[in-house]
Amino acid sequence: MLNVSTLCSGYGAITALTDLNLVVPARGFVALIGSNGAGKSTALNTISGLHPARSGSVTLDGEEILGKKAHQVVKRGMAIVPEGRMVVAPLTVEENLRLAKAVGRNHDTFDERLAQVYDLFPRLAERRKQHAGLMSGGEQQMLALGRALMTDPKVLLLDEPSMGLAPAIVDVVFAAIERIRELDLAILLVEQNATLALAMADYAYVLERGRLVIEGKPSDLADSPEVMDAYLG
Ligand code: ATP
């Protein structure tokens, strides 16, 4: 359903991504791993339209989305949880979640989804009136995940959810992602922590210096030198 083909991207004279080809099937959980600076964030940001592509194609259910504005991409069913989470600090938890109403796919089910997000993340329900900027890193990550879910995505793009979190909190966030996976959506996860990503994904791609070097089922990748590099990266 998400089909990325020969996608190229960069910054000025820097080429950060060359000929990326990947597929995320409906309800699939796909990981994109690689060491620091491999181009993972560039890949997600270019797929989601936050950063302009140089060439290539990104289709969602057959429709080209490259070149569309970020809010149009969300309307078509793609949501991204960017690196650094980007919650709106002065707004409350609930106000952050309600922001999704303007851009989401289906207004009629909004209240239902709000209840679903609070059910997935009881911590957010407890703190619904708290200013987002006062929440811990793990809570902000949950809020960013919840806000993305509020748009009713067909595919959810996650950029390093483990970043900057203490190991115990990483476990909490990934347990939440494990529950999200039971919803009717596909996930593309970018992670530097290959162990974590491979433990969850049903298919994985390894990126090195902006190019895919290997792909396969996690069980087939775990022993490859490229993945060892990513582990060490
Ligand atoms: P990280 O885990 O550190 O975020 P990454 O795999 O996500 O790494 P990217 O952030 O996509 O990698 O970076 C890929 C390359 O593009 C790197 O060489 C990086 O220095 C470069 N790059 C990223 N953002 C910019 C930018 N805004 N301007 C110039 N170069 C950039």
Side-chain angles (χ1 to χ4, degrees):
M1 54 117 59
L2 175 67
N3 218 308
V4 176
S5 156
T6 59
L7 188 65
C8 299
S9 186
Y11 310 87
I14 297 169
T15 299
L17 196 64
T18 307
D19 287 338
L20 178 69
N21 292 299
L22 66 82
V23 175
V24 183
R27 305 208 60 162
F29 192 127
V30 173
L32 181 61
I33 58 179
S35 51
N36 219 335
K40 305 180 299 297
S41 295
T42 303
L44 273 207
N45 291 340
T46 308
I47 291 170
S48 63
L50 292 178
H51 186 76
R54 290 196 171 150
S55 58
S57 154
V58 177
T59 60
L60 187 57
D61 288 338
E63 187 187 2
E64 183 61 57
I65 56 168
L66 219 54
K68 295 209 187 310
K69 301 237 175 345
H71 70 272
Q72 295 171 321
V73 171
V74 176
K75 274 259 185 284
R76 279 162 180 78
M78 180 186 284
I80 180 167
V81 179
E83 195 173 294
R85 311 187 260 275
M86 309 287 184
V87 300
V88 186
L91 297 185
T92 66
V93 166
E94 183 139 331
E95 285 164 347
N96 266 275
L97 294 174
R98 288 195 176 277
L99 284 179
K101 190 160 190 173
V103 290
R105 271 204 303 154
N106 191 347
H107 287 197
D108 298 342
T109 57
F110 192 82
D111 289 338
E112 222 171 278
R113 281 204 309 286
L114 191 59
Q116 188 182 49
V117 165
Y118 283 147
D119 191 44
L120 269 170
F121 305 110
R123 191 85 183 134
L124 296 184
E126 286 162 23
R127 310 218 144 192
R128 66 178 80 194
K129 298 221 161 66
Q130 165 139 15
H131 285 225
L134 298 176
M135 313 255 287
S136 70
E139 288 166 345
Q140 290 191 15
Q141 183 65 57
M142 287 179 203
L143 179 55
L145 284 166
R147 190 177 53 191
L149 289 177
M150 291 301 298
T151 67
D152 193 16
K154 295 187 219 170
V155 59
L156 184 60
L157 274 44
L158 304 177
D159 196 352
E160 303 232 16
S162 71
M163 172 116 102
L165 301 180
I169 309 299
V170 171
D171 289 348
V172 173
V173 168
F174 274 78
I177 294 171
E178 204 51 85
R179 291 200 303 279
I180 288 173
R181 142 182 238 186
E182 277 146 35
L183 309 175
D184 185 21
L185 48 75
I187 295 176
L188 175 57
L189 167 72
V190 153
E191 253 303 334
Q192 202 173 318
N193 186 330
T195 316
L196 258 181
L198 292 179
M200 294 182 89
D202 19 75
Y203 200 82
Y205 296 85
V206 182
L207 203 57
E208 239 180 61
R209 288 183 291 276
R211 289 178 187 272
L212 285 181
V213 287
I214 187 168
E215 65 178 87
K217 294 203 171 104
S219 52
D220 298 335
L221 290 189
D223 299 326
S224 74
E226 290 86 350
V227 175
M228 290 310 290
D229 282 351
Y231 274 118
L232 298 172

